Structure formats: C-alpha cells, structure tokens
Amino acid sequence: AGVLNGLRFAYTQTILWAIDQPSGPVRANDYSPEIYYELPVSRSVTAALGYKHLSNGGGLTDSADMNRIFARASWHIALGNDWEATISPQAWVYVGEDGGADDLDRYWGYTSLMLSVGQLDGLKVSGMLRGNPGTGKGAGELFISYPLTRLGGLGIYAFGQGFTGYGETIGDYRRRSSYARFGIAFTR
C-alpha cells in the first residue's frame, strides 16, 4: 500500500504493416509512453490522471509528436457469467510543443469515449469515439479480441479491428482513412 500504489507506467507501440506491399511493408510506427495515477473511487469506478506522449519517431522532415495531460473515469459493470461492461470517458489538454502536429486538436479534439463488453479470459468487444465537434472531424474504432494463449503471464490475443476517420496514426492525422485489419496483440 502507500501513496505510490496507484502509480502506473504504460508503453504502447503500434506498428502497421502493409503486407500487400512488395517492399518496405511498415506503413506507420507510433510510440506512446505514459505515466498516470489511478485511484479507486468505489468498487465499480476508478479515476485516473496522467501524462501521455505520442510520436512517430520521425526525423527532421517527417516527425510528428504531441504531449497531453488526461483525466479518465471508468465505470465497470458486472453483467454476470464473468462478463463485464466498461464505460470510460476521457478528456485531455495538449501541453508543450506539438512537433509537426500543431493542429492536432482540430482532428482529435479534446475528448473520447470508450465502451467495452467482454470476459477476462474470453471474447472482448470494444469501441472508441473521439473528435472535435467544432470542426466535424474525428474517428471511430471497433476492436474485437480473443485470447490465444498465455506465456508466463503475457497474453497473446487474436484481433480484428475496424477504423474510420482522422488520425489512426500521428503521422497521418490530417488524412481521413478507413481500414479493416486483423492481427496479434499482446494486450487489449
């Protein structure tokens, strides 16, 4: 226990491979470390406050990055038979220099809403909406996953994903796109 008990560190790296391309199949590579403090408010509600960085790791000509401070609340609703629904609204402010992404707020806005329904060791379906109502730009994502196996506590999940809107990756946040894909994930 103690005051540091709710301190969390996370790192997400998203690599999008274009396997239909004959050479150079990596289309995008995003790096996202974050640190946040998570606090249980009740048995079914948690709140979090943190800092998140997102970058494509590009050089002088193609770099895009942003930093933001976020607040999130999550409501966990037991549905029975090991099923749970989670509702997580999140709000953020951009801080510091926006390297190559100075108008990201026009495409990503300042809020998102995530919804999920699933089992801890079974099927999970989640959706995300984010955007800027003032510009009419935003995005939606649907993510379906199923655990394949556990290796020393590390989960491996098969997933299907659909995305439509702006900014699937930080390097192309100004471009509207729609994708459907499948793959392997180590978290969900």
Side-chain angles (χ1 to χ4, degrees), residues 119-137:
Q119 293 178 299
L120 179 61
D121 290 320
L123 179 71
K124 183 175 183 180
V125 178
S126 61
M128 179 275 303
L129 295 172
R130 68 165 155 71
N132 186 331
T135 63
K137 293 176 172 42

Side-chain angles (χ1 to χ4, degrees), residues 35-183:
I35 182 170
Y36 60 97
Y37 192 84
E38 190 171 71
L39 179 68
V41 177
S42 70
R43 289 192 317 163
S44 62
V45 177
T46 57
L49 180 66
Y51 166 82
K52 185 171 189 170
H53 172 78
L54 178 62
S55 172
N56 67 352
L60 293 174
T61 59
D62 62 348
S63 179
D65 65 77
M66 65 88 182
N67 300 292
R68 59 187 167 165
I69 294 174
F70 66 88
R72 176 179 60 237
S74 297
W75 288 272
H76 308 279
I77 304 156
L79 301 175
N81 294 329
D82 294 328
W83 285 85
E84 180 180 84
T86 303
I87 302 167
S88 297
Q90 182 170 266
W92 57 83
V93 294
Y94 300 95
V95 294
E97 294 290 321
D98 295 323
D102 57 347
D103 60 346
L104 186 64
D105 61 322
R106 294 181 46 78
Y107 298 86
W108 277 28
Y110 298 92
T111 59
S112 69
L113 178 63
M114 294 186 70
L115 305 169
S116 69
V117 175
Q119 293 178 299
L120 179 61
D121 290 320
L123 179 71
K124 183 175 183 180
V125 178
S126 61
M128 179 275 303
L129 295 172
R130 68 165 155 71
N132 186 331
T135 63
K137 293 176 172 42
E141 179 181 74
L142 179 65
F143 192 86
I144 301 169
S145 61
Y146 190 81
L148 295 176
T149 187
R150 291 203 175 273
L151 300 173
L154 178 67
I156 298 176
Y157 303 90
F159 74 85
Q161 177 189 31
F163 176 90
T164 188
Y166 290 90
E168 183 181 29
T169 65
I170 190 143
D172 68 357
Y173 72 91
R174 290 184 184 115
R175 185 172 61 93
R176 182 171 177 73
S177 59
S178 294
Y179 288 101
R181 62 177 52 95
F182 65 92

Side-chain angles (χ1 to χ4, degrees), residues 12-26:
T12 303
Q13 183 170 347
T14 303
I15 303 168
L16 300 179
W17 287 352
I19 59 174
D20 61 334
Q21 301 297 314
S23 178
V26 174

